[in-house]
Amino acid sequence: MTHFLQEERAGVLLLSINRAPINALTTDLLDEGSLFLTGLASNPPAEGLVLTGADKVFTAGVDTKVAAGLDRRHAQGAPGGARGVH
């Protein structure tokens, strides 16, 4: 995974968004996260999952440079696309 860091602590998976400097969301990041979380369904962490941001920021939201280019596949949550992006 290129946009996330993983660490397990006492049975809890810590998944950190790692896209410096402000963890802005892109279609690639959302697709990568969606695929990773879908894969967890077959082998979930024992105690849970915590989604956080690396460094000082959780996320600044959608990257404004790519927001205008989001297509309907992503906006509507089609298979292979990020869900909940509007």
Side-chain angles (χ1 to χ4, degrees):
M1 291 192 341
T2 59
H3 295 105
F4 294 90
L5 302 174
Q6 300 178 61
E7 181 182 347
E8 187 173 333
R9 294 183 190 170
V12 175
L13 179 62
L14 180 63
L15 186 63
S16 299
I17 301 171
N18 187 35
R19 186 170 181 268
I22 56 174
N23 297 327
L25 304 177
T26 64
T27 54
D28 288 343
L29 182 141
L30 294 170
D31 285 344
E32 182 180 332
S34 179
L35 289 172
F36 177 77
L37 294 173
T38 299
L40 279 181
S42 62
N43 188 23
E47 299 297 326
L49 169 76
V50 174
L51 179 62
T52 187
D55 205 21
K56 298 177 183 178
V57 178
F58 172 64
T59 180
V62 175
D63 187 329
T64 57
K65 294 176 186 172
V66 298
L70 292 176
D71 61 20
R72 289 193 176 272
R73 180 180 70 100
H74 287 89
Q76 296 175 350
R83 287 154 181 63
V85 178
H86 302 284

Coordinates of all heavy atoms in Angstrom, one line a residue:
M1 N 0.8 -1.2 0.0 CA 0.0 0.0 0.0 C 0.9 1.2 0.0 O 1.8 1.3 0.8 CB -0.9 0.0 1.2 CG -1.9 -1.1 1.2 SD -3.3 -1.0 2.4 CE -2.7 0.0 3.7
T2 N 0.6 2.2 -0.9 CA 1.4 3.3 -1.0 C 0.9 4.5 -0.2 O 1.7 5.4 0.2 CB 1.5 3.8 -2.5 OG1 0.2 4.0 -3.0 CG2 2.2 2.7 -3.3
H3 N -0.4 4.6 0.1 CA -0.9 5.8 0.8 C -1.3 5.5 2.2 O -1.9 6.4 2.9 CB -2.2 6.3 0.0 CG -1.9 6.8 -1.3 ND1 -2.2 6.1 -2.5 CD2 -1.3 7.9 -1.8 CE1 -1.8 6.8 -3.5 NE2 -1.3 7.9 -3.1
F4 N -1.0 4.4 2.7 CA -1.4 4.0 4.1 C -0.2 3.3 4.8 O 0.6 2.6 4.2 CB -2.6 3.0 4.1 CG -3.8 3.6 3.5 CD1 -4.2 3.6 2.2 CD2 -4.7 4.3 4.4 CE1 -5.3 4.1 1.7 CE2 -5.9 4.9 3.9 CZ -6.2 4.8 2.6
L5 N -0.2 3.5 6.1 CA 0.8 2.8 7.0 C -0.1 1.9 7.8 O -1.2 2.2 8.3 CB 1.5 3.8 7.8 CG 2.4 4.8 7.1 CD1 2.9 5.8 8.1 CD2 3.5 4.2 6.3
Q6 N 0.4 0.6 8.1 CA -0.3 -0.3 8.9 C 0.6 -0.7 10.1 O 1.8 -0.8 10.0 CB -0.5 -1.6 8.2 CG -1.3 -1.6 6.9 CD -1.4 -3.0 6.3 OE1 -1.9 -3.9 6.9 NE2 -0.8 -3.1 5.1
E7 N -0.1 -0.8 11.2 CA 0.6 -1.3 12.5 C -0.5 -2.0 13.3 O -1.6 -1.6 13.4 CB 1.1 -0.1 13.2 CG 1.9 -0.4 14.5 CD 2.4 0.8 15.2 OE1 2.4 1.9 14.6 OE2 2.7 0.6 16.4
E8 N -0.1 -3.1 13.9 CA -1.0 -3.8 14.8 C -0.5 -3.6 16.2 O 0.7 -3.7 16.6 CB -1.0 -5.3 14.5 CG -2.1 -6.0 15.3 CD -2.3 -7.4 14.9 OE1 -2.0 -7.8 13.8 OE2 -2.7 -8.2 15.8
R9 N -1.5 -3.2 17.1 CA -1.2 -3.0 18.5 C -2.3 -3.8 19.3 O -3.5 -3.4 19.3 CB -1.3 -1.5 18.9 CG -0.2 -0.7 18.2 CD -0.3 0.7 18.7 NE 0.5 1.6 18.0 CZ 0.5 2.9 18.1 NH1 -0.3 3.5 18.9 NH2 1.3 3.7 17.4
A10 N -1.9 -4.8 20.0 CA -2.8 -5.6 20.9 C -4.0 -6.0 20.2 O -5.1 -5.9 20.7 CB -3.1 -4.8 22.1
G11 N -3.9 -6.5 18.9 CA -5.0 -7.0 18.2 C -5.8 -6.0 17.5 O -6.8 -6.3 16.8
V12 N -5.4 -4.7 17.5 CA -6.1 -3.6 16.9 C -5.2 -3.2 15.7 O -4.0 -2.9 15.9 CB -6.4 -2.4 17.8 CG1 -7.0 -1.3 17.0 CG2 -7.3 -2.9 18.9
L13 N -5.8 -3.1 14.5 CA -5.1 -2.7 13.3 C -5.2 -1.1 13.3 O -6.3 -0.6 13.2 CB -5.7 -3.3 12.0 CG -5.0 -2.8 10.7 CD1 -3.5 -3.2 10.7 CD2 -5.7 -3.4 9.6
L14 N -4.0 -0.5 13.3 CA -4.0 1.0 13.1 C -3.6 1.2 11.7 O -2.5 0.9 11.2 CB -2.9 1.5 14.1 CG -2.7 3.0 14.0 CD1 -4.0 3.8 14.5 CD2 -1.5 3.4 14.9
L15 N -4.5 1.9 11.0 CA -4.3 2.2 9.5 C -4.3 3.7 9.4 O -5.2 4.4 9.8 CB -5.5 1.7 8.7 CG -5.5 1.8 7.2 CD1 -4.3 0.9 6.7 CD2 -6.8 1.3 6.6
S16 N -3.1 4.2 9.0 CA -2.9 5.7 8.9 C -2.8 6.1 7.5 O -2.0 5.6 6.7 CB -1.6 6.0 9.6 OG -1.6 5.7 11.0
I17 N -3.6 7.2 7.2 CA -3.5 7.8 5.8 C -2.1 8.5 5.8 O -1.8 9.3 6.7 CB -4.6 8.8 5.6 CG1 -6.0 8.1 5.7 CG2 -4.4 9.5 4.3 CD1 -7.2 9.0 5.7
N18 N -1.3 8.3 4.8 CA 0.0 8.8 4.7 C 0.2 9.5 3.4 O 0.9 8.9 2.5 CB 1.0 7.7 4.9 CG 2.5 8.2 5.0 OD1 2.7 9.3 5.6 ND2 3.4 7.4 4.5
R19 N -0.3 10.6 3.2 CA -0.2 11.4 2.0 C 0.1 12.9 2.4 O -0.7 13.7 2.4 CB -1.4 11.4 1.1 CG -1.2 12.0 -0.2 CD -2.4 11.7 -1.2 NE -2.2 12.4 -2.4 CZ -2.6 13.6 -2.7 NH1 -3.3 14.3 -1.9 NH2 -2.3 14.1 -3.9
A20 N 1.4 13.1 2.6 CA 1.9 14.4 3.1 C 1.6 15.5 2.0 O 1.6 15.2 0.8 CB 3.4 14.3 3.4
P21 N 1.4 16.7 2.4 CA 1.5 17.2 3.8 C 0.2 17.2 4.6 O 0.3 17.2 5.8 CB 2.0 18.6 3.6 CG 1.4 19.1 2.3 CD 1.3 17.8 1.5
I22 N -0.9 17.1 3.9 CA -2.2 17.2 4.7 C -3.2 16.0 4.4 O -4.3 16.1 4.7 CB -2.9 18.6 4.3 CG1 -3.1 18.7 2.8 CG2 -2.1 19.7 4.9 CD1 -3.9 19.9 2.4
N23 N -2.7 14.9 3.9 CA -3.5 13.7 3.7 C -4.7 14.0 2.9 O -5.8 13.5 3.2 CB -3.8 13.1 5.0 CG -2.6 12.6 5.8 OD1 -1.6 12.2 5.2 ND2 -2.6 12.7 7.1
A24 N -4.6 14.8 1.8 CA -5.7 15.1 0.9 C -6.1 13.9 0.2 O -5.3 13.0 -0.2 CB -5.4 16.2 0.0
L25 N -7.4 13.7 0.1 CA -8.0 12.5 -0.5 C -8.0 12.6 -2.1 O -8.4 13.6 -2.6 CB -9.4 12.2 0.0 CG -9.6 12.1 1.5 CD1 -11.0 12.0 1.8 CD2 -8.7 11.0 2.1
T26 N -7.5 11.5 -2.7 CA -7.5 11.4 -4.2 C -8.3 10.2 -4.6 O -8.5 9.3 -3.7 CB -6.1 11.4 -4.8 OG1 -5.5 10.2 -4.3 CG2 -5.3 12.6 -4.4
T27 N -8.6 10.0 -5.8 CA -9.3 8.8 -6.3 C -8.4 7.6 -6.1 O -8.9 6.5 -5.7 CB -9.7 8.9 -7.7 OG1 -8.6 9.3 -8.6 CG2 -10.8 9.9 -7.9
D28 N -7.1 7.7 -6.3 CA -6.1 6.6 -6.1 C -6.1 6.2 -4.6 O -6.2 5.0 -4.3 CB -4.7 7.0 -6.5 CG -4.6 7.1 -8.0 OD1 -5.4 6.5 -8.7 OD2 -3.6 7.7 -8.4
L29 N -6.1 7.2 -3.7 CA -6.0 6.9 -2.3 C -7.4 6.2 -1.9 O -7.3 5.2 -1.1 CB -5.8 8.2 -1.5 CG -5.7 8.0 0.0 CD1 -4.7 8.9 0.6 CD2 -7.1 8.2 0.7
L30 N -8.5 6.7 -2.3 CA -9.8 6.1 -1.9 C -9.9 4.7 -2.5 O -10.4 3.8 -1.8 CB -10.9 7.1 -2.4 CG -11.0 8.4 -1.7 CD1 -12.0 9.3 -2.4 CD2 -11.3 8.2 -0.2
D31 N -9.5 4.5 -3.8 CA -9.6 3.2 -4.3 C -8.7 2.2 -3.6 O -9.1 1.1 -3.3 CB -9.1 3.2 -5.8 CG -10.2 3.8 -6.7 OD1 -11.4 3.9 -6.3 OD2 -9.8 4.1 -7.9
E32 N -7.5 2.6 -3.2 CA -6.6 1.8 -2.5 C -7.1 1.4 -1.1 O -7.1 0.3 -0.7 CB -5.2 2.5 -2.3 CG -4.2 1.7 -1.6 CD -2.9 2.5 -1.4 OE1 -2.6 3.4 -2.2 OE2 -2.2 2.2 -0.4
G33 N -7.7 2.4 -0.4 CA -8.3 2.2 0.9 C -9.5 1.2 0.8 O -9.7 0.3 1.6
S34 N -10.3 1.4 -0.2 CA -11.5 0.6 -0.4 C -11.1 -0.9 -0.7 O -11.7 -1.8 -0.1 CB -12.3 1.1 -1.6 OG -13.5 0.3 -1.9
L35 N -10.1 -1.1 -1.5 CA -9.7 -2.4 -1.8 C -9.1 -3.1 -0.6 O -9.3 -4.3 -0.3 CB -8.6 -2.4 -2.9 CG -9.2 -2.1 -4.3 CD1 -8.0 -2.0 -5.3 CD2 -10.1 -3.2 -4.8
F36 N -8.3 -2.3 0.2 CA -7.7 -2.9 1.4 C -8.8 -3.3 2.4 O -8.8 -4.4 3.0 CB -6.8 -1.8 2.1 CG -6.2 -2.3 3.3 CD1 -5.2 -3.2 3.4 CD2 -6.7 -1.9 4.6 CE1 -4.6 -3.7 4.6 CE2 -6.2 -2.3 5.8 CZ -5.1 -3.3 5.8
L37 N -9.8 -2.4 2.6 CA -10.9 -2.7 3.6 C -11.7 -3.8 3.1 O -12.2 -4.6 3.9 CB -11.7 -1.4 3.8 CG -11.0 -0.3 4.6 CD1 -11.8 1.0 4.6 CD2 -10.5 -0.7 5.9
T38 N -12.0 -3.9 1.8 CA -12.7 -5.1 1.3 C -12.0 -6.4 1.6 O -12.6 -7.4 2.0 CB -13.0 -4.9 -0.2 OG1 -13.7 -3.7 -0.4 CG2 -13.7 -6.1 -0.8
G39 N -10.6 -6.3 1.4 CA -9.8 -7.5 1.7 C -9.8 -7.9 3.2 O -9.7 -9.1 3.5
L40 N -10.1 -7.0 4.1 CA -10.1 -7.3 5.5 C -11.3 -8.1 5.9 O -11.3 -8.8 6.9 CB -10.2 -6.0 6.3 CG -8.8 -5.3 6.6 CD1 -9.1 -4.0 7.5 CD2 -7.8 -6.2 7.3
A41 N -12.3 -8.1 5.0 CA -13.6 -8.8 5.3 C -13.3 -10.3 5.5 O -13.9 -11.0 6.4 CB -14.6 -8.6 4.2
S42 N -12.3 -10.9 4.8 CA -12.0 -12.3 4.9 C -11.1 -12.6 6.1 O -11.0 -13.7 6.5 CB -11.4 -12.8 3.6 OG -10.2 -12.1 3.4
N43 N -10.4 -11.6 6.6 CA -9.5 -11.8 7.8 C -9.5 -10.5 8.6 O -8.5 -9.8 8.6 CB -8.1 -12.1 7.2 CG -7.2 -12.5 8.4 OD1 -7.6 -12.9 9.4 ND2 -5.9 -12.3 8.1
P44 N -10.6 -10.2 9.3 CA -10.6 -9.0 10.1 C -9.7 -9.0 11.3 O -9.3 -10.0 11.8 CB -12.1 -8.9 10.6 CG -12.5 -10.3 10.6 CD -11.8 -11.0 9.5
P45 N -9.3 -7.8 11.7 CA -8.4 -7.7 12.9 C -9.2 -8.2 14.1 O -10.4 -8.1 14.2 CB -8.1 -6.2 13.1 CG -8.9 -5.5 12.0 CD -9.5 -6.5 11.1
A46 N -8.5 -8.8 15.1 CA -9.1 -9.5 16.2 C -10.0 -8.5 17.0 O -11.1 -8.8 17.4 CB -8.0 -10.1 17.1
E47 N -9.5 -7.3 17.3 CA -10.2 -6.4 18.2 C -10.8 -5.2 17.5 O -11.7 -4.6 18.1 CB -9.2 -5.9 19.3 CG -8.7 -7.0 20.2 CD -9.7 -7.8 21.0 OE1 -10.7 -7.1 21.4 OE2 -9.6 -9.0 21.2
G48 N -10.3 -4.9 16.4 CA -10.9 -3.7 15.7 C -9.9 -3.0 14.8 O -8.8 -3.5 14.6
L49 N -10.4 -1.9 14.2 CA -9.6 -1.1 13.3 C -9.7 0.4 13.6 O -10.8 0.8 13.9 CB -10.1 -1.3 11.8 CG -9.6 -0.4 10.7 CD1 -8.2 -0.8 10.3 CD2 -10.6 -0.4 9.6
V50 N -8.6 1.1 13.6 CA -8.6 2.5 13.9 C -8.0 3.2 12.6 O -6.9 2.8 12.2 CB -7.8 2.9 15.1 CG1 -7.6 4.4 15.2 CG2 -8.3 2.3 16.3
L51 N -8.8 4.1 12.0 CA -8.3 4.8 10.9 C -7.9 6.2 11.4 O -8.7 6.9 12.0 CB -9.5 5.0 9.8 CG -9.1 5.8 8.6 CD1 -8.0 5.1 7.8 CD2 -10.4 5.9 7.7
T52 N -6.7 6.6 11.0 CA -6.1 7.8 11.5 C -5.3 8.5 10.4 O -5.1 7.9 9.3 CB -5.3 7.6 12.8 OG1 -4.9 8.8 13.3 CG2 -4.1 6.7 12.5
G53 N -4.8 9.6 10.7 CA -3.9 10.3 9.7 C -2.5 10.3 10.2 O -2.3 10.5 11.4
A54 N -1.6 10.1 9.3 CA -0.2 10.1 9.7 C 0.2 11.6 10.0 O -0.5 12.5 9.4 CB 0.7 9.6 8.6
D55 N 1.2 11.9 10.8 CA 1.6 13.2 11.1 C 0.6 13.9 11.9 O -0.1 13.3 12.8 CB 2.0 14.0 9.8 CG 3.0 15.1 10.1 OD1 3.7 15.0 11.2 OD2 3.1 16.0 9.3
K56 N 0.3 15.2 11.7 CA -0.6 16.0 12.5 C -2.0 16.1 12.1 O -2.8 16.7 12.8 CB 0.0 17.4 12.7 CG 1.4 17.4 13.3 CD 2.0 18.8 13.4 CE 3.4 18.8 13.9 NZ 4.0 20.1 14.0
V57 N -2.3 15.7 10.9 CA -3.6 15.9 10.3 C -4.3 14.6 9.9 O -3.6 13.7 9.3 CB -3.5 16.8 9.0 CG1 -4.8 17.0 8.3 CG2 -2.8 18.1 9.3
F58 N -5.6 14.5 10.3 CA -6.3 13.3 9.8 C -6.4 13.3 8.3 O -5.9 12.5 7.6 CB -7.7 13.2 10.5 CG -8.5 12.1 9.9 CD1 -8.2 10.8 10.0 CD2 -9.7 12.4 9.3 CE1 -8.9 9.7 9.5 CE2 -10.5 11.4 8.7 CZ -10.1 10.1 8.9
T59 N -7.2 14.3 7.8 CA -7.3 14.5 6.3 C -7.8 15.9 6.1 O -8.6 16.4 6.9 CB -8.1 13.5 5.6 OG1 -8.2 13.8 4.2 CG2 -9.5 13.4 6.2
A60 N -7.4 16.5 5.0 CA -7.9 17.9 4.7 C -9.1 17.7 3.8 O -9.7 18.7 3.4 CB -6.8 18.6 3.9
G61 N -9.6 16.5 3.5 CA -10.7 16.3 2.6 C -10.2 16.0 1.2 O -9.0 15.7 0.9
V62 N -11.1 16.2 0.2 CA -10.8 15.9 -1.2 C -9.8 16.9 -1.7 O -9.9 18.1 -1.6 CB -12.0 15.9 -2.1 CG1 -11.7 15.6 -3.5 CG2 -13.0 14.8 -1.6
D63 N -8.7 16.4 -2.4 CA -7.7 17.2 -3.1 C -8.4 18.0 -4.1 O -9.0 17.5 -5.1 CB -6.7 16.3 -3.7 CG -5.5 17.1 -4.3 OD1 -5.7 18.2 -4.7 OD2 -4.4 16.5 -4.3
T64 N -8.4 19.3 -4.0 CA -9.1 20.2 -4.9 C -8.6 20.1 -6.3 O -9.3 20.5 -7.3 CB -9.0 21.7 -4.4 OG1 -7.6 22.1 -4.3 CG2 -9.7 21.9 -3.1
K65 N -7.3 19.7 -6.5 CA -6.8 19.5 -7.8 C -7.4 18.4 -8.6 O -7.4 18.4 -9.8 CB -5.3 19.3 -7.8 CG -4.5 20.5 -7.2 CD -3.0 20.2 -7.1 CE -2.3 21.3 -6.4 NZ -0.9 21.0 -6.1
V66 N -8.0 17.4 -7.9 CA -8.6 16.3 -8.6 C -10.1 16.3 -8.4 O -10.8 15.5 -9.1 CB -8.0 14.9 -8.1 CG1 -6.5 14.8 -8.4 CG2 -8.3 14.7 -6.7
A67 N -10.7 17.1 -7.5 CA -12.1 17.1 -7.3 C -12.9 17.3 -8.5 O -13.9 16.6 -8.7 CB -12.5 18.1 -6.2
A68 N -12.5 18.2 -9.4 CA -13.2 18.5 -10.6 C -13.2 17.3 -11.5 O -14.1 17.2 -12.4 CB -12.7 19.7 -11.3
G69 N -12.3 16.4 -11.4 CA -12.1 15.3 -12.3 C -12.8 14.0 -11.8 O -12.8 13.0 -12.5
L70 N -13.5 14.1 -10.7 CA -14.1 12.9 -10.2 C -15.3 12.5 -11.1 O -16.1 13.3 -11.5 CB -14.7 13.1 -8.8 CG -13.7 13.2 -7.7 CD1 -14.4 13.5 -6.4 CD2 -12.8 12.0 -7.5
D71 N -15.3 11.3 -11.6 CA -16.3 10.8 -12.5 C -17.5 10.2 -11.8 O -17.4 9.9 -10.6 CB -15.7 9.9 -13.6 CG -15.1 8.7 -13.0 OD1 -15.5 8.3 -11.9 OD2 -14.3 8.0 -13.7
R72 N -18.5 9.9 -12.5 CA -19.7 9.3 -11.9 C -19.4 7.9 -11.2 O -20.0 7.5 -10.2 CB -20.8 9.1 -12.9 CG -21.4 10.4 -13.3 CD -22.7 10.2 -14.1 NE -23.3 11.4 -14.4 CZ -24.2 12.1 -13.6 NH1 -24.5 11.5 -12.4 NH2 -24.7 13.2 -13.9
R73 N -18.4 7.2 -11.8 CA -18.1 5.9 -11.2 C -17.7 6.0 -9.7 O -18.1 5.3 -8.9 CB -16.9 5.3 -12.0 CG -16.5 3.9 -11.4 CD -15.3 3.4 -12.3 NE -14.1 4.1 -12.0 CZ -13.1 3.8 -11.3 NH1 -13.2 2.6 -10.6 NH2 -12.1 4.5 -11.1
H74 N -16.9 7.1 -9.4 CA -16.5 7.3 -8.0 C -17.6 7.9 -7.2 O -17.8 7.6 -6.1 CB -15.2 8.2 -8.0 CG -14.0 7.5 -8.4 ND1 -13.7 7.4 -9.7 CD2 -13.1 6.7 -7.7 CE1 -12.5 6.7 -9.8 NE2 -12.2 6.3 -8.6
A75 N -18.3 8.9 -7.8 CA -19.3 9.6 -7.0 C -20.5 8.7 -6.6 O -21.1 8.9 -5.6 CB -19.9 10.8 -7.9
Q76 N -20.8 7.7 -7.4 CA -21.9 6.8 -7.1 C -21.4 5.5 -6.4 O -22.3 4.7 -6.1 CB -22.6 6.4 -8.4 CG -23.3 7.6 -9.0 CD -23.9 7.3 -10.4 OE1 -23.7 6.3 -10.9 NE2 -24.6 8.3 -10.9
G77 N -20.2 5.3 -6.2 CA -19.7 4.2 -5.4 C -19.8 2.9 -6.2 O -20.0 1.8 -5.6
A78 N -19.5 2.9 -7.5 CA -19.5 1.7 -8.3 C -18.4 0.8 -7.9 O -17.4 1.2 -7.3 CB -19.4 2.1 -9.8
P79 N -18.6 -0.5 -8.2 CA -17.5 -1.5 -7.9 C -16.2 -1.0 -8.4 O -16.0 -0.5 -9.5 CB -17.9 -2.8 -8.6 CG -19.4 -2.6 -8.7 CD -19.7 -1.1 -8.9
G80 N -15.2 -1.0 -7.5 CA -13.8 -0.5 -7.9 C -13.7 0.9 -7.7 O -12.6 1.5 -7.8
G81 N -14.7 1.6 -7.3 CA -14.7 3.1 -7.1 C -14.8 3.4 -5.6 O -15.3 2.6 -4.9
A82 N -14.4 4.5 -5.2 CA -14.5 4.9 -3.8 C -16.0 5.2 -3.5 O -16.7 5.8 -4.3 CB -13.6 6.2 -3.6
R83 N -16.4 4.9 -2.3 CA -17.7 5.1 -1.9 C -17.9 6.4 -1.1 O -17.0 6.8 -0.4 CB -18.2 3.9 -1.1 CG -18.5 2.7 -1.9 CD -18.3 1.4 -1.1 NE -18.5 0.2 -1.9 CZ -17.7 -0.2 -2.8 NH1 -16.8 0.5 -3.3 NH2 -17.9 -1.4 -3.4
G84 N -19.0 7.1 -1.4 CA -19.3 8.2 -0.6 C -18.6 9.5 -1.0 O -18.6 10.5 -0.3
V85 N -17.9 9.5 -2.1 CA -17.3 10.7 -2.6 C -18.3 11.6 -3.4 O -18.9 11.1 -4.3 CB -16.1 10.4 -3.5 CG1 -15.4 11.7 -4.1 CG2 -15.1 9.6 -2.8
H86 N -18.5 12.8 -3.0 CA -19.5 13.7 -3.6 C -18.9 15.0 -4.0 O -18.1 15.5 -3.3 CB -20.7 13.9 -2.8 CG -21.4 12.6 -2.4 ND1 -22.2 11.9 -3.3 CD2 -21.4 11.9 -1.3 CE1 -22.6 10.8 -2.7 NE2 -22.2 10.8 -1.5

